[in-house]
Amino acid sequence: MEFEAVSDELFGAKREEFTALRDERAKQARPDRALADRIAGLRKPTVAAWLVNQVSRVCPEEIEQLAELGEALRRAHQNLSGADLRSLSRQRHEVIDRLGKRAQWLARKAGYAFSDAAERQIADTFEAAVSDPQALEAVRAARLSAALTPGSPEQWLTAAVMPERKSAKPRPKQAPESAKKPAPSKAERERQRREEERLRAEREKAQREAEEADEAEESAEQALRDAEREADEADAAVADLRARLDEAVEAKREKHTEVTNARKELTAAQRAAERARRRAAEFE
């Protein structure tokens, strides 16, 4: 089992399957404690990060366009070419907007709500990929656990699991046995084991808390979307009731007018009848 292959599998899987799959792979890797710890330390991606990872896997050509635009923009800045900067900035917005639409389509396909916050985080991540080669490599690797922010490179290494680079340098020769440090004592080994277990427990706790925070954030965003939808429905219901009330008021006004006209007609009819009765009486 190799860490690179496991990382690709986890970040390429469905987001809701990440935690269970990670724990299973970490358990399988236990004979190699260092590998198991690295796998267990992988953090479940946020919705925005997961979508960026999938876009990077599905649309590598468009990710390369970000790389080309980044290089071209840096040259244009060095050459102080205003016309080139304006043209390249327009292209950058077009490519990032197109990648955002790819992410929206993937969200709909996976059944995820595409919130305004996720849309902004995705755009910021692609902006970061244009502005800094290190962020670009993190996006290319498609193993982001959190969105990136333009201009904050300190976040990139913690937000992404980067592929290991192959070193061209030869391995240093091992020191002779006589130069090696003496083996630690049994007590020292026990202290080291307890310290490793403590650090592992703290890391796992921090991992759980981070994942719970992500879930809480998503739940809060969903609750906000539900509340906004219900508010819109209430506004529509109020508007409908107001329209119906206006119609009822208008109908009432018309009926009152009809009553007034009917009374006038009745009064006129009564007067005509009275006149007719008086003329009839004159002939008696």
Side-chain angles (χ1 to χ4, degrees), residues 17 22 40 42 44 46 52 83 100 102 119 125 130 148 156 158 165 185 222 228 242 250 253-254 256 263 267:
E17 297 174 356
R22 178 199 62 200
L42 293 175
K44 180 181 179 180
T46 64
V52 170
R102 300 279 191 273
E119 184 177 11
T125 300
V130 173
L148 305 181
W156 298 333
T158 59
R165 297 181 180 275
S185 66
Q222 185 61 51
E228 289 174 340
R242 282 176 176 163
E250 181 62 26
R253 188 180 297 113
E254 292 175 356
H256 277 292
R263 282 176 177 167
T267 300

Side-chain angles (χ1 to χ4, degrees), residues 154-220:
E154 70 277 0
Q155 296 180 0
W156 298 333
L157 291 180
T158 59
V161 181
M162 301 293 288
E164 293 182 344
R165 297 181 180 275
K166 301 293 184 180
S167 175
K169 295 180 180 179
R171 289 185 176 181
K173 294 181 179 179
Q174 283 189 332
E177 290 295 326
S178 59
K180 290 183 179 180
K181 293 182 181 180
S185 66
K186 182 177 180 180
E188 289 173 342
R189 289 197 301 272
E190 181 61 21
R191 281 196 299 272
Q192 183 178 3
R193 184 187 65 79
R194 288 198 299 268
E195 179 65 15
E196 289 175 353
E197 289 180 352
R198 184 185 67 80
L199 291 174
R200 187 180 305 110
E202 289 183 356
R203 182 171 59 249
E204 291 174 354
K205 180 182 178 182
Q207 180 73 32
R208 288 193 302 272
E209 290 175 348
E211 291 177 358
E212 289 171 359
D214 288 340
E215 296 295 339
E217 180 183 8
E218 290 174 30
S219 297

Side-chain angles (χ1 to χ4, degrees), residues 51 86 111 121 157 171 179 188 190 205-206 224 226 270 276:
L51 289 170
R86 285 190 293 273
Q121 291 169 6
L157 291 180
R171 289 185 176 181
E188 289 173 342
E190 181 61 21
K205 180 182 178 182
L224 173 60
D226 291 343
Q270 287 173 339

Side-chain angles (χ1 to χ4, degrees), residues 17-246:
E17 297 174 356
F18 183 95
T19 302
L21 187 58
R22 178 199 62 200
D23 294 347
E24 181 182 350
R25 294 293 179 264
K27 183 178 180 180
Q28 292 170 350
R30 275 181 187 170
D32 185 339
R33 178 58 63 84
L35 176 59
D37 288 348
R38 288 186 72 190
I39 294 172
L42 293 175
R43 184 178 173 185
K44 180 181 179 180
T46 64
V47 171
W50 186 86
L51 289 170
V52 170
N53 291 338
Q54 307 319 307
V55 169
S56 183
R57 292 166 187 268
V58 174
C59 309
E61 299 85 0
E62 290 177 305
I63 300 301
E64 291 311 307
Q65 289 181 24
L66 294 180
E68 295 167 3
L69 282 169
E71 289 292 335
L73 280 165
R74 283 187 282 276
R75 286 195 302 270
H77 275 291
Q78 291 170 357
N79 298 332
L80 300 177
S81 175
D84 288 347
L85 283 171
R86 285 190 293 273
S87 174
L88 290 167
S89 294
R90 186 166 55 252
Q91 293 178 46
R92 179 189 64 197
H93 289 306
E94 290 172 355
V95 173
I96 290 175
D97 183 62
R98 188 161 60 247
L99 288 169
K101 287 182 170 59
R102 300 279 191 273
Q104 187 174 16
W105 179 82
L106 287 169
R108 188 164 55 248
K109 183 179 179 182
Y112 297 147
F114 194 73
S115 66
D116 292 341
E119 184 177 11
R120 286 193 301 273
Q121 291 169 6
I122 289 166
D124 284 348
T125 300
F126 290 132
E127 286 281 3
V130 173
S131 61
D132 190 279
Q134 196 173 14
L136 174 66
E137 288 304 314
V139 171
R140 274 175 172 160
R143 300 176 189 171
L144 290 170
S145 61
L148 305 181
T149 303
S152 58
E154 70 277 0
Q155 296 180 0
W156 298 333
L157 291 180
T158 59
V161 181
M162 301 293 288
E164 293 182 344
R165 297 181 180 275
K166 301 293 184 180
S167 175
K169 295 180 180 179
R171 289 185 176 181
K173 294 181 179 179
Q174 283 189 332
E177 290 295 326
S178 59
K180 290 183 179 180
K181 293 182 181 180
S185 66
K186 182 177 180 180
E188 289 173 342
R189 289 197 301 272
E190 181 61 21
R191 281 196 299 272
Q192 183 178 3
R193 184 187 65 79
R194 288 198 299 268
E195 179 65 15
E196 289 175 353
E197 289 180 352
R198 184 185 67 80
L199 291 174
R200 187 180 305 110
E202 289 183 356
R203 182 171 59 249
E204 291 174 354
K205 180 182 178 182
Q207 180 73 32
R208 288 193 302 272
E209 290 175 348
E211 291 177 358
E212 289 171 359
D214 288 340
E215 296 295 339
E217 180 183 8
E218 290 174 30
S219 297
E221 289 180 355
Q222 185 61 51
L224 173 60
R225 288 191 294 273
D226 291 343
E228 289 174 340
R229 187 189 67 253
E230 291 172 0
D232 290 341
E233 291 173 352
D235 288 341
V238 169
D240 181 60
L241 288 172
R242 282 176 176 163
R244 291 165 60 187
L245 176 61
D246 290 343

